[in-house]
Structure formats: C-alpha cells, structure tokens
Amino acid sequence: EADIYQTPRYLVIGTGKKITLECSQTMGHDKMYWYQQDPGMELHLIHYSYGVNSTEKGDLSSESTVSRIRTEHFPLTLESARPSHTSQYLCASRGGAYGYTFGSGTRLTVV
Amino acid sequence: GQQVMQIPQYQHVQEGEDFTTYCNSSTTLSNIQWYKQRPGGHPVFLIQLVKSGEVKKQKRLTFQFGEAKKNSSLHITATQTTDVGTYFCAGETTDSWGKFQFGAGTQVVVTP
C-alpha cells in the first residue's frame, strides 16, 4: 500500500493562479523528490530534499518552489501557473538504499 | 553530465514471446534501479542492482547489471498482457548520491 499521498489528484486552474500541490509521506523517509512527467514520457526532476530545511533544484528549470519544514511534508508551489505547466507532477520519497516510493500524482491542467 | 539511455523506446510483443529492454549510461553507476509504470499510473519500484555482473530474477523478469556497471538489461519471458506498461531504469553515481537519473523508458504493448 502507498504510504505517500498527493493532493489534489486532478486540478484545472486558470493562467496566473497560484497553486500548491501537496505531498505527505508516513514512512519517515529523509529524501523526497518532485518529478514532472508528461503521459508515458520521461521523468524530469524539478526539486529534491534530503531532510528538513534542505531543498535543491533539480535538472528541469521550473518556476516552482518547495519547502521542507517537516520530514513528512514536501509541498510544491507554482506562483503563477501557465499553460506550459500542464503536466503530471509526481512526488516520491526514499528511505535508506531502497527504491523510490511514488505517490499517485497530480494531473495539472492550466487553461 | 550523466545520461541514461534506454532502448528500444517502444516494444510491441506478441503474448507468449520474450523481449529485452536495455539501459546504457554514459558514466559508471554505483547502482541501478528498474521501475514499471502502468498506463495512467505511477512508477513502481521493481528491483535494485548494485554489484558488477549481478543478475536477479523475479518470476518471468530477469535483471542484469553489466560488468563495467554502465549498462543493464531487463528480460521478460513468456510475455503476458499484465506486462503492459513503461519500464524505466534509473541510475545513481557516486557524484549524484541520492539522486537517480531516469531513462526515457521503454513502452511495452502486448498483443494477445
């Protein structure tokens, strides 16, 4: 069973709106990640964190920001959404030397 | 920077046939992971390989890590319709500890 939760599952918003995508995990993992993925395509790392108060930008240039105030919570914020942000956003966590556990994702559409 | 390439990009397989998908890195990897993503779903971790030349099996799936730790393969025997999905490899290097580089994936379609 998934122990990493993303909300909302689907979101349609207008251009220019500010949005926050939520991600929480109950596994106590230190490492958390945000990926952007168009359907069936490659995963692009946009942000990651190795612990509380630690955040880094990934390989994909993004107009988003993240925060890591609590171990279990890693929200992603888009200050001003644009149609080019339309995509699926996947949150993941990793404990120790194991694989990533991915959330179910947020499918974002900006109109 | 590190690049992870997967081939083929698409694989059409007749049910019951075998196929192999390959993953190649431009740099030596400390370990490699494989994931499966069903259509409309999220990636699910399958396995991690760490040792040079390592081979691991999961039922009909055989995973191999190259001797030079720069390539890996996933071989599926007797393909079933449940094998449909996209298979991703992801590699980690000592320079990118904790941060895996994903390949573009192999999308598998199974014909009954």
Side-chain angles (χ1 to χ4, degrees), chain B residues 51-62:
Chain B
K51 299 177 183 176
S52 169
E54 188 171 14
V55 178
K56 288 187 176 180
K57 292 189 176 184
Q58 288 181 350
K59 297 182 180 178
R60 294 179 296 102
L61 277 62
T62 301

Side-chain angles (χ1 to χ4, degrees), chain A residues 33 37 50 97-98 100 103 107, chain B residues 35 37 40 42 48 97-98 100:
Chain A
Y33 309 81
Q37 184 190 36
Y50 289 166
Y98 301 104
Y100 290 105
R107 293 183 187 270
Chain B
Y35 293 80
Q37 185 175 21
H42 57 276
Q48 177 168 275
W97 177 83
F100 280 75

